[in-house]
Amino acid sequence: MAKTTTTAAALALALGTAISVASLPASADEMKMEKCYGVALKGQNDCKAGPGTTCAGTAKKDYQGNAFKAVPAGTCTQMESPTSPTGHGQLEAFEETM
């Protein structure tokens, strides 16, 4: 009985370690983040949501142009943003036309 318990514990530990390692980024480049304006949902921005707001979680509406979300580097301008002039996230804050 003890051998079965030890084997099960060892398998569980090995599986947990494998899952942890698999979730790590493959390179240092994947860990780089950039500020992406106009993609955060209401109350889910990372910081800076323009005049009248303080910091994280203060965006007053979805896709607010002066509020950013930290995203993996290189992905911002591919993310959808219905308020953006280009229809995608921006690397700098922008004024909304809506």
Side-chain angles (χ1 to χ4, degrees):
M1 186 76 142
K3 185 176 181 180
T4 303
T5 304
T6 304
T7 302
L11 286 173
L13 179 62
L15 179 61
T17 302
I19 290 171
S20 296
V21 170
S23 67
L24 293 174
S27 69
D29 289 344
E30 291 178 357
M31 294 181 68
K32 292 181 182 176
M33 302 294 275
E34 64 189 5
K35 294 177 182 179
C36 188
Y37 290 87
V39 298
L41 298 179
K42 178 180 179 180
Q44 296 181 14
N45 60 301
D46 285 326
C47 205
K48 187 178 178 181
T53 60
T54 52
C55 202
T58 57
K60 302 210 182 288
K61 61 184 179 175
D62 289 350
Y63 308 106
Q64 188 172 321
N66 60 353
F68 75 81
K69 189 81 175 161
V71 300
T75 64
C76 177
T77 57
Q78 298 165 4
M79 300 179 82
E80 192 173 326
S81 177
T83 61
S84 168
T86 64
H88 299 287
Q90 304 290 306
L91 298 175
E92 294 183 16
F94 61 90
E95 295 293 321
E96 297 167 50
T97 58
M98 296 180 137

